[in-house]
Amino acid sequence: MKESSLNNFEQNQPMSQYVDFYGRVFIINSDVLIPRPETEMIIDTILNLVGKPYLPGVKPSKAKLPQNLTIADIGTGSGCIAITLKLELPNATIIASDISEKALKVAEKNADNLDASIELLQSDLLEKITAKPDLVVANLPYVDESWEWIDKKALSKEPALALYANNGGLELINKLIDQVTERSIKHLVLEADPCQHEQIINFAKKKGLTLRETRGFALYLSE
Ligand code: GLN
C-alpha cells in the first residue's frame, strides 16, 4: 500500500477504516457499503464460470466464459468486486460504475492501493456504459426499509443510497435486468437477499434470462 497517498486520502475524507474482502485489504469510509462476507460468493460464482479454481480441493465447472472476458460491475461502491475480479482474472477487462462520485473516489483509491487496472465511471446503472460487456455483476441496494429483521442502527454508518431500494428492495435490480436484456447482455450475476430470489428469478425469466446457479446470496442468470 502506498503510504503517502493513503495518508493524504484519510486527511481529506470522512473517517476511514480497513476491511478484508477476499483476502485483500480495502479502505472504506461512510460514502460506501462495507464489504460483506456474503458478497465473496459473487467472486466464487464468476471464477467458477470462467473455469478458475476458487476453493482448494474443489474442481471448477467447465468454463462457460473465457478468462479474458469484459465485466461491468454496476454500483461498485468501494470497488471490492471489480478490483478483486481484476486481480483474480488479470486478462479480464473490468469496467466499474457507480451513481455516487464520492463512492468512485473510494474505489479509485482502492484500485490504486491494490494496483488493479480497472475503468471507473459515473453512471446510473448501465446508462453511460457504451461498451457491451460479456457479463454484468452487481451488488445493488436491495434492502427494503420495512423489513422487520433489519437493524437500522447497525446500518446507519453506511449510505442509505447504497442499501435501500423501493418495491420490496427490487426497484434497482429489476431496472438493471431490464437494461441488461434490452442490450442483449448474456450473463448476469447479482447479489440479493435469499427472500427475494424467487421474485427476481421469475422477473428475469419473463425477460429471457434463466437461473443457472444460486450460491448463497448470489444468483447467476444467463440467456
Ligand atoms: N446484505 C446487506 C445487508 O443486508 C445489504 C447489501 C446491499 O444492499 N447490497 O445489510
Side-chain angles (χ1 to χ4, degrees):
M1 215 174 273
K2 295 169 199 158
E3 286 269 354
S4 54
S5 53
L6 192 58
N7 290 340
N8 189 31
F9 178 80
E10 284 178 328
Q11 273 159 23
N12 296 310
Q13 300 294 321
M15 246 224 310
S16 308
Q17 68 183 93
Y18 300 96
V19 177
D20 178 275
F21 183 79
Y22 220 81
R24 297 182 185 91
V25 176
F26 288 78
I27 189 165
I28 56 149
N29 63 24
S30 56
D31 294 328
V32 297
L33 193 78
I34 301 170
R36 290 163 163 70
E38 62 265 30
T39 304
E40 295 183 339
M41 296 273 186
I42 289 231
I43 307 295
D44 289 344
T45 300
I46 295 175
L47 295 185
N48 186 48
L49 258 177
V50 301
K52 201 183 154 169
Y54 57 93
L55 265 183
V58 175
K59 273 195 210 153
S61 306
K62 190 165 164 282
K64 290 197 182 73
L65 284 165
Q67 293 193 12
N68 64 352
L69 78 177
T70 298
I71 301 176
D73 173 28
I74 308 303
T76 196
S78 64
C80 63
I81 295 174
I83 292 165
T84 302
L85 288 172
K86 182 65 194 173
L87 297 173
E88 297 292 328
L89 301 172
N91 296 326
T93 300
I94 312 287
I95 304 162
S97 77
D98 205 286
I99 197 166
S100 158
E101 293 279 5
K102 287 181 180 169
L104 286 169
K105 283 209 172 74
V106 180
E108 190 180 13
K109 190 72 215 162
N110 281 315
D112 188 30
N113 288 342
L114 292 164
D115 262 326
S117 168
I118 61 169
E119 186 189 331
L120 286 159
L121 78 156
Q122 195 275 335
S123 175
D124 182 359
L125 301 178
L126 290 179
E127 205 173 87
K128 298 211 188 90
I129 295 180
T130 50
K132 185 176 168 188
D134 301 298
L135 182 150
V136 164
V137 58
N139 176 18
L140 294 170
Y142 57 74
V143 175
D144 188 298
E145 279 193 275
S146 70
W147 288 347
E148 62 211 22
W149 62 90
I150 290 302
D151 180 352
K152 284 205 183 149
K153 201 160 166 245
L155 296 176
S156 65
K157 290 189 184 67
E158 295 168 278
L161 184 70
L163 279 167
Y164 301 110
N166 294 325
N167 184 19
L170 294 175
E171 187 177 37
L172 296 169
I173 287 180
N174 287 350
K175 207 171 153 193
L176 182 67
I177 290 172
D178 272 333
Q179 293 182 355
V180 161
T181 52
E182 274 159 21
R183 293 177 186 216
S184 308
I185 295 165
K186 291 188 168 59
H187 304 269
L188 177 62
V189 176
L190 288 173
E191 180 179 314
D193 192 281
C195 75
Q196 299 169 310
H197 284 189
E198 200 179 319
Q199 268 182 287
I200 294 171
I201 293 162
N202 292 337
F203 182 77
K205 184 84 197 158
K206 280 193 219 137
K207 305 279 169 176
L209 289 177
T210 305
L211 177 76
R212 305 295 177 190
E213 192 192 333
T214 304
R215 202 180 276 264
F217 279 48
L219 292 173
Y220 164 49
L221 304 138
S222 77
E223 266 186 5

